[in-house]
Amino acid sequence: MWEVIDRYEIYCLADPLFYDTLDTQRTKYPDFPIAGRAVPAGWEHRATDTWLHYGPEDRSLPLQGWKIHVSSCLDDAEKTLDAVWDYCVSRRLSFKFLRGPRVVMMLSSKYADRGSSGKLVTIYPADVNELELVLKELDELLHGVHGPYILSDLRYGDGPLFVRYGGFAERYCMNGNRERVLAIEDTEGTLVPDRRGPSFSPPSWVTLPDFLEPHLAARNAVTFTDLPYQIEKVLHFSNGGGVYKGRDTRTDRQVVLKEARPHAGLDAAGRDAVTRLKHEADILRRLEGLDVVPALYDYFTLGEHHFLVQEFIDGTTLSQESVHRHPLTRATVDAEDAAEYTEWALDMLARVERAVTALHERGVVFGDLHPFNVLVDGERVVLIDFEVATLAENRTRPTLAHPGFCPPPDRLGVEADLYALACLRIGLFAPMSTVLIPLHRPKVTHLAEMVCDTFPVPRAYVAEAVRTILGKEATAPAAAMRDLPLPGRAEWTSIRDAACRAIIASATPERNDRLFPGDAAQFQPGGGLNMANGAAGVLYALAATGAGRFPEHESWLRQRAMAPEPGTGLGFWDGLHGVAYAFEALGRRQDALELTGLCLREKWDQLGQSLYAGLSGIGLNLFHLGEATGEREFRDTAMTIVDIVAGRLGAVDSVPEVSGGGNPRAGLMRGSSGPALLFLHAYEATGDASLLDHASIALQQDLRRCTRRDDGQLQVQQGWRTNPYLDEGSAGIGLVLRRYLAHRDDDAFREALRDIGPVATLDYYVQSGLFAGRAGMIASLAMGLRPGVDPAGPEVADQIARLGWQAMPYGGGLAFPGNQLLRLSMDLATGTAGVVLALGTVLHDRPVRLPFISPPGTPAGTADPTNDERR
């Protein structure tokens, strides 16, 4: 239930309510001054939200080769850029650089991608000879510049220059997960993934230039061989370094080694990982002798990296322990289960509070209290990660803390820990819910009410936590939260119209990249247009549920879809085929036909198999358009796609048994159930029984990647968790199984569907969204995932009411948070539009459909464009 949020935190920097990029904040976060220089005569210039590109118009480059990266910390960035600009322009070298200090901070933060972090400039030499010359000359020119080590590259000397072999031009291929990724060409002329991991690993067919061999030898010479520690296991990686389980070879004692990389892993105050690790060592020395902190054993440097060695605690995190014990994740829960968990949670909270008090008695503020930083070892509770701890007397605020426990600006010193303890009182009963509180602090009163209604926890205990969290706002009216038309309490039309108000209030028609704020994925090319995260999905959901048509927003979508930016996807959920579907549903058939024609002129046959972004979704859309318009070409192309997907399908054991960890994904959107859905639709259109055989193989592939939990539920096994959801979990597989069983009986499939059904009636889901949250389960129940459960019955009514866990006010209406709950979202896959569509499947007075997923014969629920009060 506590999920990794690294990627999303980067998109939280620009706006307090919605995921966004810094491109909209140029006034607040300006570019480097050099960005204002005039483009040299005869040069091309291109800007993105992250990079500024420059290159001579008349100088061609190879499609791939050795590229140079210049690393720099912020203090050296401007002088580095001045030197590199003058050098590259005078020698007519193509190059690019990060736009401004805020982007550098973002890409060097603790939560940035550790493989590519540290790059300030990229230079593109024409060949190996030019590569060698540029490195030698720039090495002298940039002497004394300091920057993070770029883990994907080979360092040249001991300065800020690094090299990596990779693509110069944007070319794409499919990876092992059947997803479209950047590519380079191998010796056979085949496009293969351009891998960019956190280690220097050039393609096997590429020979390292001779002049770089000494630099590779120097890199490989830095090892643990001469140190008295043996690394046994990686516990965690971040851009700031790693955490490892190891053994002291002198004593055979197990230890934990924390690594810090210089100039990397920056926090909000600009401190790097090394500064924080040194500080952590000082704090642990101050706390020496306390049983609630790990003992400090050693501190050393290896190469430029710093290492802290501390006691190994043989326990589990409070997060893991609560997930294991939490009753709301089970198929059935009774009052005894809730009481047992409450007793354990209250005892655990008391232990944590005593541990934090012990720190305060030593004059230390922990500053980063959350369930991942509490280890439970039998009767012992231990706090870990003291890199942002402070002295109580300094009354400062944490510079790097979990967003669900980070205090508001007025909580300083010890008060910051008291705030986090109060959040823990709520969060241990409602995991991840505390992340919602910064979006609208009065939400905590509603969360507390739901906690007390679900668990026998003393109301006074929870009320004290609420007062601490609200602080000065404790006496302020919470009318916005109190007056919300919540699912399960208000009428359907009131809920829908309130959600519509919030969605329309969030619209930004003045922007080109997105109309409605949604998931961070919308900042990929074309992401603001598509069905999953863009305008098409939102407008479809509003029209299908009777909320109305919005012609000005449809015009915004049409204008940008007909002239898509390079890199825009073609698929159904991620690209232009989904936009065409939305146009057809909105009564804009000519726009749908025109856009589909544009898509068919592209190289669609090179896409992967998935329903989300590949051929399965495209084939289903072409079947749909062919049926709607009578255009024979669409049906013929769809059948061609069916043949291609069938040819690539393989056997049941062509996929691994466990999804995740680099293996092909399972599930409806990105696994084999998407192709199975395509085969079933093709069977329904043709009667060809061999298509049922293909569907059976595809479904068996996905079931192969499922596991049966202790409570009997069948969920997708993703290695680090099991997944019940609509997109990549077992609910989506179950819906396709149900459709298959309508055509051909199969005992194994019927048993699998029986064991999948309960995943849709759990009491608690972290998120509210359609693809990976409660809304998807409501829609799944409406579509018959659990036979015997009436869409109008109490099971579905309970799920609708529990959407209140995540409901929030916005713009005079009702909104829901997106993935990770850090920001509100209005999109279909993760946010408010998806909740509305799911509610519409069970509450609307006209049939509402999830594209292609709803059972055959379900009308699309299209709004009548000739009878629209909002036109």
Side-chain angles (χ1 to χ4, degrees):
M1 287 185 285
W2 297 86
E3 298 187 30
V4 177
I5 55 180
D6 300 5
R7 180 173 72 89
Y8 283 88
E9 287 205 333
I10 293 175
Y11 291 95
C12 292
L13 298 174
D15 190 282
L17 289 178
F18 300 112
Y19 293 123
D20 208 346
T21 69
L22 295 174
D23 202 35
T24 60
Q25 302 283 323
R26 294 295 168 210
T27 301
K28 185 177 180 181
Y29 304 117
D31 293 339
F32 285 115
I34 199 170
R37 284 195 190 183
V39 178
W43 281 59
E44 296 176 325
H45 171 53
R46 180 169 62 91
T48 70
D49 62 346
T50 305
W51 296 94
L52 297 176
H53 300 247
Y54 298 85
E57 294 176 351
D58 59 354
R59 190 179 191 213
S60 61
L61 287 171
L63 296 175
Q64 61 195 52
W66 291 97
K67 59 180 72 174
I68 299 170
H69 292 125
V70 183
S71 173
S72 174
C73 57
L74 269 177
D75 291 343
D76 292 336
E78 289 193 25
K79 72 175 183 181
T80 300
L81 289 175
D82 285 338
V84 171
W85 174 290
D86 293 340
Y87 180 86
C88 289
V89 170
S90 65
R91 289 160 179 78
R92 297 173 57 73
L93 291 166
S94 296
F95 66 104
K96 68 178 182 181
F97 59 86
L98 294 178
R99 296 191 64 143
R102 188 67 169 179
V103 179
V104 174
M105 282 280 291
M106 179 176 71
L107 297 182
S108 297
S109 73
K110 183 175 181 178
Y111 300 106
D113 179 77
R114 56 190 296 266
S116 59
S117 177
K119 301 171 185 175
L120 176 67
V121 183
T122 304
I123 302 171
Y124 301 93
D127 53 36
V128 171
N129 291 332
E130 190 167 66
L131 171 74
E132 182 176 12
L133 177 63
V134 172
L135 286 169
K136 287 180 177 179
E137 293 181 343
L138 276 182
D139 187 46
E140 297 180 9
L141 194 62
L142 299 178
H143 179 73
V145 169
H146 300 285
Y149 196 107
I150 302 171
L151 296 177
S152 62
D153 291 21
L154 174 64
R155 190 178 194 176
Y156 182 85
D158 57 3
L161 300 177
F162 297 79
V163 296
R164 185 183 80 85
Y165 189 94
F168 288 9
E170 287 190 8
R171 295 188 289 175
Y172 295 89
C173 71
M174 307 310 298
N175 66 6
N177 286 343
R178 305 174 187 178
E179 296 170 326
R180 189 169 178 260
V181 296
L182 288 168
I184 53 177
E185 193 175 303
D186 65 14
T187 54
E188 304 297 321
T190 302
L191 290 177
V192 298
D194 186 359
R195 303 190 186 281
R196 305 171 185 216
S199 62
F200 178 65
S201 181
S204 59
W205 67 88
V206 172
T207 302
L208 187 74
D210 290 342
F211 77 92
L212 291 177
E213 288 288 353
H215 304 278
L216 180 61
R219 173 186 177 275
N220 294 338
V222 180
T223 68
F224 266 80
T225 303
D226 297 327
L227 291 172
Y229 302 107
Q230 180 180 345
I231 301 294
E232 296 179 339
K233 182 180 180 181
V234 175
L235 299 178
H236 174 67
F237 275 130
S238 75
N239 188 37
V243 181
Y244 312 92
K245 178 183 175 182
R247 187 173 298 279
D248 187 328
T249 57
R250 298 164 297 187
T251 63
D252 202 38
R253 177 173 57 189
Q254 285 193 319
V255 296
V256 169
L257 296 93
K258 295 188 66 175
E259 172 194 28
R261 302 173 53 220
H263 313 299
L266 304 182
D267 62 19
R271 301 186 309 167
D272 71 353
V274 168
T275 302
R276 291 197 305 276
L277 194 69
K278 289 179 178 178
H279 173 74
E280 180 169 8
D282 291 339
I283 293 292
L284 289 177
R285 294 184 186 103
R286 186 184 182 102
L287 299 174
E288 184 178 1
L290 288 182
D291 191 47
V292 296
V293 300
L296 175 66
Y297 294 146
D298 196 3
Y299 191 100
F300 64 90
T301 59
L302 179 64
E304 296 182 351
H305 292 206
H306 290 234
F307 289 85
L308 179 155
V309 185
Q310 66 183 29
E311 176 187 5
F312 171 74
I313 310 298
D314 190 15
T316 58
T317 67
L318 181 57
S319 170
Q320 293 170 311
E321 194 71 17
S322 66
V323 167
H324 175 69
R325 294 173 178 268
H326 208 292
L328 297 186
T329 61
R330 302 173 196 162
T332 57
V333 183
D334 56 28
E336 185 178 342
D337 295 327
E340 180 182 343
Y341 180 80
T342 300
E343 182 180 2
W344 172 84
L346 292 176
D347 176 67
M348 193 55 58
L349 286 164
R351 293 169 184 264
V352 174
E353 290 177 11
R354 287 196 294 270
V356 173
T357 299
L359 268 58
H360 293 171
E361 290 171 350
R362 292 280 184 99
V364 172
V365 175
F366 188 26
D368 196 16
L369 176 66
H370 58 79
F372 280 119
N373 279 352
V374 179
L375 288 179
V376 181
D377 182 13
E379 296 298 310
R380 185 183 178 194
V381 165
V382 181
L383 307 178
I384 59 172
D385 273 351
F386 287 84
E387 60 184 41
V388 298
T390 59
L391 299 183
E393 63 190 36
N394 294 337
R395 286 188 55 77
T396 57
R397 185 168 179 261
T399 57
L400 189 71
H402 188 288
F405 296 80
C406 187
D410 65 331
R411 315 301 173 87
L412 305 176
V414 168
E415 292 177 352
D417 279 351
L418 298 180
Y419 177 90
L421 282 168
C423 289
L424 193 61
R425 286 191 183 186
I426 303 294
L428 212 57
F429 293 97
M432 285 297 284
S433 63
T434 55
V435 181
L436 298 172
I437 295 173
L439 297 176
H440 183 68
R441 208 160 299 279
K443 174 69 178 178
V444 70
T445 59
H446 186 225
L447 292 171
E449 175 188 333
M450 300 187 80
V451 166
C452 291
D453 288 345
T454 308
F455 295 94
V457 58
R459 289 186 178 271
Y461 182 82
V462 176
E464 181 184 358
V466 170
R467 287 193 297 273
T468 300
I469 291 169
L470 290 176
K472 295 176 182 178
E473 302 174 37
T475 58
M481 195 69 235
R482 186 175 59 246
D483 297 340
L484 272 184
L486 293 175
R489 299 184 185 179
E491 294 291 329
W492 152 241
T493 53
S494 297
I495 298 166
R496 179 200 63 195
D497 292 347
C500 182
R501 286 196 300 275
I503 289 171
I504 298 306
S506 74
T508 54
E510 71 280 3
R511 290 179 60 158
N512 282 320
D513 60 340
R514 69 121 191 261
L515 178 58
F516 302 107
D519 190 72
Q522 68 181 187
F523 301 112
Q524 298 297 315
L529 309 181
N530 64 33
M531 282 288 283
N533 306 120
V538 174
L539 295 174
Y540 171 77
L542 294 179
T545 56
R549 293 273 305 283
F550 300 88
E552 68 277 18
H553 294 326
E554 293 173 18
S555 296
W556 183 97
L557 177 60
R558 184 194 185 283
Q559 179 182 351
R560 288 155 182 80
M562 296 305 178
E565 65 176 309
T568 298
L570 296 176
F572 184 81
W573 289 102
D574 80 322
L576 297 178
H577 269 279
V579 179
Y581 180 96
F583 281 151
E584 169 65 21
L586 291 167
R588 304 180 67 118
R589 176 162 294 177
Q590 189 54 44
D591 290 340
L593 295 175
E594 183 178 343
L595 188 57
T596 304
L598 185 154
C599 292
L600 292 177
R601 291 192 291 274
E602 298 293 324
K603 296 179 180 179
W604 50 264
D605 57 326
Q606 297 180 9
L607 296 177
Q609 308 287 86
S610 76
L611 175 64
Y612 186 83
L615 293 177
S616 294
I618 292 174
L620 284 164
N621 190 47
L622 291 174
F623 273 126
H624 167 71
L625 290 175
E627 293 163 4
T629 66
E631 293 282 346
R632 180 76 185 185
E633 178 190 358
F634 292 154
R635 176 189 164 98
D636 290 346
T637 305
M639 289 305 300
T640 299
I641 288 174
V642 170
D643 291 340
I644 295 172
V645 175
R648 298 176 182 175
L649 182 62
V652 172
D653 59 1
S654 296
V655 299
E657 292 186 356
V658 177
S659 184
N663 292 325
R665 292 164 162 172
L668 178 62
M669 293 296 170
R670 294 181 172 88
S672 296
S673 292
L677 191 62
L678 174 66
F679 296 138
L680 289 170
H681 194 106
Y683 167 75
E684 291 158 3
T686 66
D688 182 354
S690 68
L691 293 166
L692 288 180
D693 298 334
H694 294 318
S696 175
I697 291 172
L699 285 166
Q700 289 178 73
Q701 287 180 344
D702 265 1
L703 290 173
R704 178 178 168 85
R705 289 173 278 182
C706 291
T707 185
R708 190 167 277 99
R709 303 194 333 166
D710 293 342
D711 57 10
Q713 295 178 49
L714 195 64
Q715 296 191 15
V716 171
Q717 174 59 260
Q718 293 185 309
W720 63 281
R721 69 165 185 177
T722 60
N723 189 328
Y725 294 116
L726 181 66
D727 61 347
E728 296 187 46
S730 54
I733 299 171
L735 290 175
V736 185
L737 281 171
R738 183 186 184 281
R739 188 155 171 178
Y740 178 94
L741 289 168
H743 300 296
R744 178 189 284 175
D745 199 24
D746 185 295
D747 289 342
F749 283 179
R750 197 166 295 282
E751 179 183 357
L753 179 59
R754 180 200 66 202
D755 293 341
I756 288 172
V759 306
T761 51
L762 301 178
D763 286 345
Y764 188 79
Y765 302 99
V766 172
Q767 300 176 155
S768 52
L770 181 66
F771 277 21
R774 192 182 300 277
M777 298 310 190
I778 292 170
S780 296
L781 291 173
M783 293 182 285
L785 178 65
R786 192 166 188 181
V789 171
D790 183 354
E795 296 92 342
V796 177
D798 287 346
Q799 293 293 11
I800 292 172
R802 292 186 186 114
L803 282 169
W805 282 105
Q806 292 91 5
M808 303 284 285
Y810 177 79
L814 173 67
F816 290 85
N819 280 354
Q820 307 300 340
L821 309 183
L822 296 169
R823 293 294 185 268
L824 299 178
S825 170
M826 302 300 172
D827 71 27
L828 186 66
T830 72
T832 307
V835 173
V836 170
L837 191 68
L839 289 174
T841 64
V842 292
L843 299 177
H844 195 41
D845 58 4
R846 297 175 58 188
V848 172
R849 173 178 185 171
L850 268 63
F852 315 133
I853 305 169
S854 295
T858 305
T862 307
D864 183 353
T866 65
N867 182 23
D868 184 3
E869 297 176 1
R870 298 178 186 262
R871 284 176 63 112

